[in-house]
Amino acid sequence: MLRFDVLTLFPDMVAPVLAHSMLKRGQEKGLLTVKGHNLRDFTADRHKVVDDMPYGGGAGMVMKAEPILLAVAAIRHEAQASGEDIRMMFPTPHGRPFTQDHARQLADERRRIVILCGHYEGVDERVRMALAPEEVSLGDYVLTGGELPALVLIDAAARLVPGVLGDPVSALEESFVDALLEYPQYTRPAEIGGIGVPDVLLSGHHEAIRLWRRKQALRSTYVRRPDLLKGRIFTKEDQQLLDELMSEGLLTAPTSTPGGGLSP
Ligand code: 6GU
């Protein structure tokens, strides 16, 4: 059972995402639990103040340390009562880039994973000092708070827990697992606006389909994300497919206009 505890000022931002699709199913199957904790419930004052002005001045508010430390203490206490430990995570643009390896590590985690969602201009530095959370970033841009990143972490980990996805191979075959992007997929109808489906996919020849897909995945990765192929040692089969793509002149970026697509 994968266990998450989300510390947030906005539990209503988190709950609805968990009520659908695979995250819902994972919880129903008892493979995953996500508990939201409202940081406002861990304030001691009458007005339930969770933020305050920064010492030294400046714009914006800073999240107070005490409600966060109290909430973590309560979760740690509860965990320890059932012989568990916790792992503290803090999504922030200052963190280490979150990757598929990280997701895999979370999916295997036996401890309760506590995710602190930051807001406003920041969190009192003493939270970092006291809890030494693992700081992870989703990329080089800034979001309004940690709730969306927390959901991203949960989603990325949950889908790797056996039984959460319907088809166990679909996670394995996904992008990044062996560092290749996905091959193109098609479903009915067989023709849209004059554009059909590659013949091989209709052929019923499983080996030919497998090779075509592998070749398309190599091509897509080479064209869009050459960094994923750097330093990679190719199998004989992959090298053969790359040679074919090269001689077919397909290993160059598509020349079509970005955003250009099917005409209506
Ligand atoms: Cl993890 N948090 C926030 N607030 N902004 C981000 C981020 C995280 N990752 C990228 N931008």
Side-chain angles (χ1 to χ4, degrees), residues 100-114:
Q100 188 67 21
D101 273 341
H102 221 123
R104 233 173 268 131
Q105 231 194 74
L106 291 184
D108 290 337
E109 187 56 75
R110 313 295 300 267
R111 293 172 290 181
R112 280 167 70 160
I113 302 164
V114 181

Side-chain angles (χ1 to χ4, degrees), residues 124-237:
D124 190 307
E125 185 65 18
R126 289 162 295 187
V127 169
R128 275 198 187 83
M129 294 179 184
L131 302 177
E134 248 176 287
E135 302 183 26
V136 291
S137 166
L138 298 192
D140 292 337
Y141 45 83
V142 181
L143 304 171
T144 56
E147 283 76 11
L148 293 172
L151 289 166
V152 168
L153 268 47
I154 293 167
D155 189 280
R159 63 184 292 288
L160 298 176
V161 173
V164 169
L165 295 190
D167 171 9
V169 295
S170 57
L172 266 180
E173 286 182 344
E174 281 279 350
S175 297
F176 292 103
V177 168
D178 60 356
L180 286 189
L181 301 185
E182 273 290 10
Y183 50 79
Q185 296 274 26
Y186 296 83
T187 187
R188 288 186 290 183
E191 198 205 291
I192 297 175
I195 301 184
V197 174
D199 287 336
V200 62
L201 298 180
L202 309 172
S203 70
H205 293 134
H206 299 300
E207 179 60 8
I209 291 169
R210 186 188 68 77
L211 282 170
W212 181 86
R213 285 178 164 167
R214 186 74 191 171
K215 188 169 168 178
Q216 296 303 314
L218 285 164
R219 169 173 143 76
S220 175
T221 310
Y222 187 97
V223 171
R224 297 166 193 238
R225 291 292 306 275
D227 56 296
L228 295 179
L229 298 180
K230 250 205 174 137
R232 191 185 174 94
I233 297 157
F234 294 107
T235 61
K236 256 177 124 171
E237 179 179 285

Side-chain angles (χ1 to χ4, degrees), residues 90-98 135-137:
F90 180 34
T92 157
H94 304 281
R96 242 184 352 117
F98 183 74
E135 302 183 26
V136 291
S137 166

Side-chain angles (χ1 to χ4, degrees), residues 32-46:
L32 167 76
T33 62
V34 185
K35 198 164 162 184
H37 305 265
N38 193 337
L39 284 169
R40 242 173 244 289
D41 296 342
F42 296 90
T43 51
D45 62 304
R46 210 158 53 83

